[in-house]
Amino acid sequence: MHIEDEHGPLYFDLNTGAKIPSIGLGTWKAAPGVVGQAVIAAVKAGYRHIDCARVYDNEKEIGVALKELFSTGIVKRDEMWITSKLWCSDHAPEDVSKALSKSLEDLQLDYVDLYLIHWPFRTKPGSRGFDPEVIEPLCLKETWSTMEGLYASGRARAIGVSNFSTKKLQDLLTYAKVTPAVNQVECHPVWQQPNLHRLCKSTNVHLSAYSPLGSPGSWVKGEILKEPILIEIAEKLNKSPAQIALKWGIQSGHSILPKSVNELRIKENFSLFDWSIPPELFSNFSNIHQQRLLRGDFAVHQTRSPYKSLEELWDGEI
């Protein structure tokens, strides 16, 4: 397809042989009551990838929206890519399969296209939040082994991780029988993750970017869209700063998961395939000051957590 060749891919190949759409709709912080309509608007605008998670507390409503889309013939199930995630309180091997079953039930699906370990962090079964008393020792090896069983069963057609540093991904690769297909992490022009990109490329793990616009309007602080270099490129190309940030991601070789419940922005965020950032402007991104916005302070505790500092959580990548 001409558009795909010249201006960036509509899909990226995974190590499973599947193709993950290069843009997905993020649903974190998408409130019940609006998330269903956002999903329907996104699919009508051309999105074929919805990024979900049990902890977002909106999978039930997304399931209703998906059922409507399938039953009215707007899209078929096999044309959609649905991701969900295993929450920290479900890491115990006996809880992993039950957690996926709950997500599948809420989403009204027989399988998800991708199931991710949400954080390399574990809390007590049935707990909410991150109070020190609910933090449990890690059992990532056992959790991953159970994830491999879900992949074998076909209920998760690909498995992966989220929020894994370069070192944590390297560690996982030493014992994984099934290589993770994806590592979904914070990635945008203000946190470009070059080391993680290199590792992912060399080990055939696809990097997928959440908060590709820096989560404006959430508790994650950071004004990515006010970054002068971004604004300057946007003005030169007659695009919005958001479109430039998103296009940077796709041209860097990773999928992006912009979140919006605003129909106009949902459409604007998808309008990326008939233009590209020329090399002489693309090189300017290397001049942007780097900082991680979603720092994960909740996972740090002096006595209860496996991570005594942010340095340990991210293995120095902060």
Side-chain angles (χ1 to χ4, degrees):
M1 188 176 168
H2 173 70
I3 289 176
E4 189 167 336
D5 291 341
E6 195 183 340
H7 293 294
L10 299 174
Y11 297 86
F12 289 103
D13 291 319
L14 297 187
N15 59 25
T16 59
K19 291 181 181 304
I20 188 170
S22 53
I23 303 183
L25 181 75
T27 62
W28 179 49
K29 293 283 182 191
V34 296
V35 71
Q37 285 311 306
V39 167
I40 289 167
V43 171
K44 286 180 175 173
Y47 289 69
R48 291 295 176 264
H49 178 179
I50 310 294
D51 182 69
C52 312
R54 173 95 180 269
V55 78
Y56 299 166
D57 289 331
N58 55 16
E59 287 191 328
K60 213 166 220 162
E61 189 177 333
I62 292 168
V64 172
L66 290 173
K67 189 176 186 185
E68 183 184 321
L69 289 162
F70 299 150
S71 64
T72 53
I74 290 167
V75 73
K76 295 191 189 76
R77 170 63 185 102
D78 63 7
E79 295 171 320
M80 289 299 296
W81 183 282
I82 311 295
T83 297
S84 188
K85 307 181 193 82
L86 178 78
W87 187 239
C88 306
S89 56
D90 295 314
H91 279 211
E94 62 272 20
D95 294 330
V96 174
S97 179
K98 286 184 277 190
L100 175 58
S101 294
K102 181 74 174 83
S103 281
L104 289 174
E105 183 190 327
D106 285 352
L107 292 164
Q108 303 189 46
L109 301 174
D110 299 324
Y111 67 91
V112 288
D113 298 274
L114 178 63
Y115 198 49
L116 305 174
I117 295 177
H118 206 145
W119 283 89
F121 184 69
R122 184 181 167 209
T123 55
K124 282 186 175 153
S127 66
R128 296 283 299 199
F130 304 101
D131 289 337
E133 56 271 21
V134 303
I135 298 173
E136 293 268 278
L138 287 172
C139 61
L140 283 174
K141 210 177 246 190
E142 295 78 4
T143 306
W144 186 254
S145 178
T146 317
M147 294 280 286
E148 291 174 331
L150 300 181
Y151 174 61
S153 76
R155 294 197 306 146
R157 295 204 169 171
I159 52 174
V161 293
S162 182
N163 297 300
F164 272 50
S165 66
T166 305
K167 181 181 183 304
K168 286 180 179 53
L169 183 57
Q170 275 170 325
D171 290 346
L172 173 61
L173 291 169
T174 63
Y175 57 79
K177 293 188 185 76
V178 175
T179 302
V182 169
N183 184 15
Q184 188 189 117
V185 293
E186 176 187 343
C187 191
H188 45 70
V190 175
W191 190 245
Q192 298 180 19
Q193 301 256 42
N195 291 339
L196 188 59
H197 259 290
R198 275 193 290 274
L199 177 68
C200 285
K201 226 181 186 74
S202 67
T203 54
N204 203 15
V205 176
H206 177 71
L207 190 150
S208 196
Y210 70 71
S211 299
L213 302 172
S215 284
S218 82
W219 51 266
V220 180
K221 295 285 173 271
E223 297 286 356
I224 288 176
L225 301 181
K226 293 182 179 167
E227 176 59 50
I229 289 173
L230 217 59
I231 293 168
E232 187 187 335
I233 295 171
E235 284 170 355
K236 281 184 176 156
L237 298 181
N238 200 23
K239 301 292 174 188
S240 70
Q243 286 174 313
I244 298 299
L246 296 173
K247 188 67 182 187
W248 170 83
I250 291 178
Q251 282 186 226
S252 297
H254 60 255
S255 55
I256 52 173
L257 304 165
K259 176 251 156 180
S260 181
V261 293
N262 175 303
E263 193 170 342
L264 285 175
R265 274 201 289 275
I266 284 171
K267 286 179 176 168
E268 179 190 294
N269 290 346
F270 196 77
S271 302
L272 304 176
F273 295 108
D274 56 354
W275 59 281
S276 47
I277 303 168
E280 65 276 11
L281 293 179
F282 197 82
S283 61
N284 295 348
F285 283 95
S286 60
N287 300 325
I288 296 176
H289 174 73
Q290 296 295 292
Q291 64 171 49
R292 183 186 287 281
L293 302 182
L294 201 156
R295 297 172 68 75
D297 298 274
F298 60 79
V300 173
H301 192 266
Q302 286 306 309
T303 54
R304 296 300 302 256
S305 175
Y307 312 116
K308 313 286 180 252
S309 65
L310 288 172
E311 284 278 336
E312 286 184 15
L313 173 62
W314 300 111
D315 301 295
E317 295 175 336
I318 53 172

